[in-house]
């Protein structure tokens, strides 16, 4: 038995096959017609909804040198906030902490927590409050950010944030079921992040 395991181990270490990374594969615009066709069968008089991938252009191959700009796609379920915009840096509120993304960043997937997403373009900084979502950073200096509902930071009313934080804190202290506690905790987390974004 020991002889067989050593032979299998030797064979496994001498194999040269490696699985390619997704960024090594050629950029192809894949169109899956399964969903639109099924939609048209069920609801023939209405156009099928567009998915976030419909708002993005096909990604180019990974460059041999690091580009000077980061290309960002910032998409929502109903529109595209930024499409292929070339920026200097994006700071993402990841669940693991604030993450700065520059051109040439290592490929990463990050879950977004409630917080401020800032897009840096020269001296201009555009800030959005996001309640959650995902960021996909690719090795070819592209970043895809998907959020449910971002709000430009300058459109948030501080008085309503304070009022909401007070209400959800009170709901959390009086909640009796696990569901009520979870809903109240989410409200407290979001409004605390909004308050920190406005004061910080």
């Amino acid at each position: 038995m020991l002889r067989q395991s050593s032979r299998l181990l030797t064979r496994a270490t001498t194999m040269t096959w490696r699985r390619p990374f997704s960024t090594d594969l050629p950029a192809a615009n894949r169109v899956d017609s399964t969903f639109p066709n099924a939609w048209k069968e069920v609801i023939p008089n209405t156009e099928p909804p567009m998915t976030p991938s419909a708002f993005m252009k096909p990604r180019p191959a990974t460059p041999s040198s690091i580009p000077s700009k980061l290309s960002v796609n910032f998409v929502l379920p109903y529109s595209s906030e930024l499409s292929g915009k070339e920026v200097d840096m994006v700071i993402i509120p990841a669940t693991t902490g604030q993450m700065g993304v520059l051109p040439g960043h290592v490929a990463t997937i990050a879950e977004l927590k409630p917080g401020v997403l800032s897009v840096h373009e020269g001296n201009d900084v555009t800030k959005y409050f996001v309640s959650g979502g995902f960021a996909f950073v690719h090795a070819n200096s592209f970043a895809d950010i998907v959020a449910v509902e971002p709000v430009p930071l300058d459109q948030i009313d501080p008085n309503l944030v304070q009022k909401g934080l007070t209400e959800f804190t009170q709901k959390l202290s009086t909640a009796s079921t696990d569901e009520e506690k979870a809903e109240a905790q989410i409200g407290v987390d979001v409004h605390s992040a909004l308050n920190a974004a406005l004061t910080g």
Side-chain angles (χ1 to χ4, degrees), residues 69 88-89 119-127:
K69 296 284 185 180
D88 296 320
M89 176 176 65
V119 180
H120 298 256
E121 189 178 7
N123 292 331
D124 297 331
V125 179
T126 307
K127 294 185 177 184

Side-chain angles (χ1 to χ4, degrees), residues 6-199:
S6 64
R7 186 176 46 204
L8 290 173
L9 186 60
T10 305
R11 189 181 329 155
T13 57
T14 58
M15 293 176 71
T16 58
W17 179 83
R18 107 177 153 84
R19 184 175 172 206
F21 291 110
S22 63
T23 52
D24 294 340
L25 300 174
N29 192 6
R30 297 180 192 162
V31 177
D32 183 11
S33 60
T34 308
F35 175 73
N37 291 341
W39 180 279
K40 288 177 184 175
E41 286 177 15
V42 177
I43 310 171
N45 298 332
T46 306
E47 287 294 316
M50 296 179 76
T51 59
S53 61
F55 296 103
M56 296 184 218
K57 296 175 186 171
R59 224 175 267 77
T62 304
S64 58
S65 62
I66 297 175
S68 61
K69 296 284 185 180
L70 174 72
S71 296
V72 177
N73 295 311
F74 185 22
V75 294
L76 321 175
Y78 48 86
S79 69
S80 176
E81 194 71 28
L82 302 173
S83 180
K85 182 155 179 102
E86 292 193 342
V87 299
D88 296 320
M89 176 176 65
V90 175
I91 298 178
I92 297 169
T95 54
T96 55
Q98 295 285 65
M99 183 171 79
V101 180
L102 294 165
H105 195 283
V106 66
T108 306
I109 298 175
E111 182 182 359
L112 304 182
K113 68 177 182 179
V116 177
L117 178 135
S118 56
V119 180
H120 298 256
E121 189 178 7
N123 292 331
D124 297 331
V125 179
T126 307
K127 294 185 177 184
Y128 300 90
F129 181 82
V130 293
S131 57
F134 287 91
F136 305 92
V137 180
H138 307 278
N140 56 0
S141 293
F142 270 77
D144 298 325
I145 303 166
V146 182
V148 177
E149 190 174 6
V151 179
L153 208 56
D154 56 358
Q155 294 181 9
I156 298 173
D157 184 356
N159 296 326
L160 291 176
V161 171
Q162 286 297 329
K163 182 180 174 185
L165 183 57
T166 305
E167 287 176 7
F168 279 108
T169 304
Q170 184 179 8
K171 285 182 184 179
L172 183 60
S173 62
T174 60
S176 57
T177 67
D178 288 342
E179 185 179 347
E180 289 174 351
K181 288 178 185 176
E183 288 177 0
Q185 186 62 53
I186 290 169
V188 168
D189 291 346
V190 170
H191 282 81
S192 297
L194 273 165
N195 192 38
L198 292 172
T199 58

